[in-house]
Amino acid sequence: MSLNDKKLKDMGPEFIRVLEEPLVILELSGSILAKKGKSTATHRELSVVMPNGQSILVKCEVKTRGGDVFDMIVAHSNLVEHFYFGLAYIDDNEFFFIDNDTKISKVASDSWKKVPTTTFVLFFRIKFFVNNISLILHKQTRHQYYLQLRRDLLEDRLSCHEETALYLGGLALQAEYGDCMPEVVHCRM
């Protein structure tokens, strides 16, 4: 594979590129301790959907707190400004955030609590929006904001004026594909 082919492969929408990546599996320490002689009847799987569409499989106990799962996802993502985000579940097409002290079993479906092979889906989402993007200090946090807002616009959870949408689409293309590369596409100046 040539350098240009590698560049092209690494370009493009992140939500498409993550589909080719191997599944990330995280295990909470309570689950590791449970392996030492305890029954696996209380072990469950959570699928945490990140703003880029990647699913992270979290193996945990039925009585795991939302904050424990959130902390593990934040640590895995190397997200410094994690206080803007939270874990949410969907009920009737609306997102509801889980408090750190709330046990996952309180918001999960009955089938997740009773059937060990059932997976409950949570979403890592922006919980607190800022009025000015300059308040966000870290590039990774800005990137997660971009991904969340992009997804919400595409899924009609947010709306904007048509002219603004066209401008944002252009910025999204530049963010996903980079600046125009003359060797790939003939650009007019």
Side-chain angles (χ1 to χ4, degrees):
M1 179 181 295
S2 74
L3 184 58
N4 281 342
D5 291 340
K6 173 120 175 74
K7 281 182 185 177
L8 287 174
K9 184 178 184 282
D10 291 340
M11 294 177 96
E14 184 174 348
F15 65 93
I16 298 294
R17 291 191 322 255
V18 297
L19 297 176
E20 297 174 358
E21 295 177 5
L23 179 65
V24 174
I25 300 173
L26 304 176
E27 195 161 347
L28 284 169
S29 57
S31 296
I32 294 169
L33 294 173
K35 286 183 181 178
K36 297 179 180 176
K38 286 190 179 178
S39 168
T40 58
T42 61
H43 292 187
R44 296 294 184 272
E45 291 183 350
L46 298 169
S47 178
V48 179
V49 179
M50 301 301 288
N52 66 0
Q54 176 188 27
S55 288
I56 298 175
L57 187 67
V58 178
K59 294 183 178 186
C60 63
E61 299 292 324
V62 171
K63 296 186 180 201
T64 298
R65 295 178 325 109
D68 295 334
V69 176
F70 179 77
D71 290 344
M72 180 167 272
I73 295 297
V74 165
H76 171 75
S77 302
N78 295 320
L79 195 60
V80 176
E81 295 172 299
H82 61 281
F83 41 84
Y84 291 119
F85 300 89
L87 288 178
Y89 63 96
I90 289 184
D91 187 19
D92 200 24
N93 205 29
E94 187 174 342
F95 289 100
F96 293 93
F97 285 94
I98 301 172
D99 290 330
N100 285 340
D101 292 330
T102 301
K103 293 179 181 174
I104 300 293
S105 61
K106 296 287 183 189
V107 297
S109 65
D110 286 336
S111 63
W112 183 78
K113 296 176 228 177
K114 295 175 183 175
V115 182
T117 57
T118 303
T119 302
F120 183 54
V121 179
L122 295 173
F123 298 84
F124 188 82
R125 295 184 55 83
I126 299 170
K127 190 172 184 179
F128 301 107
F129 289 88
V130 294
N131 291 333
N132 185 340
I133 196 71
S134 67
L135 297 173
I136 299 175
L137 304 176
H138 295 272
K139 182 179 177 182
Q140 176 70 358
T141 308
R142 283 191 199 123
H143 184 66
Q144 296 303 315
Y145 253 70
Y146 157 73
L147 292 170
Q148 176 71 58
L149 293 172
R150 180 183 186 281
R151 178 172 287 253
D152 284 351
L153 282 167
L154 289 173
E155 294 176 353
D156 287 330
R157 293 189 188 281
L158 290 175
S159 60
C160 64
H161 188 273
E162 191 174 296
E163 186 176 312
T164 304
L166 186 59
Y167 178 71
L168 290 173
L171 290 174
L173 284 170
Q174 185 177 17
E176 298 289 354
Y177 290 98
D179 293 333
C180 181
M181 295 177 11
E183 64 271 9
V184 177
V185 178
H186 179 68
C187 296
R188 295 183 189 185
M189 298 282 176

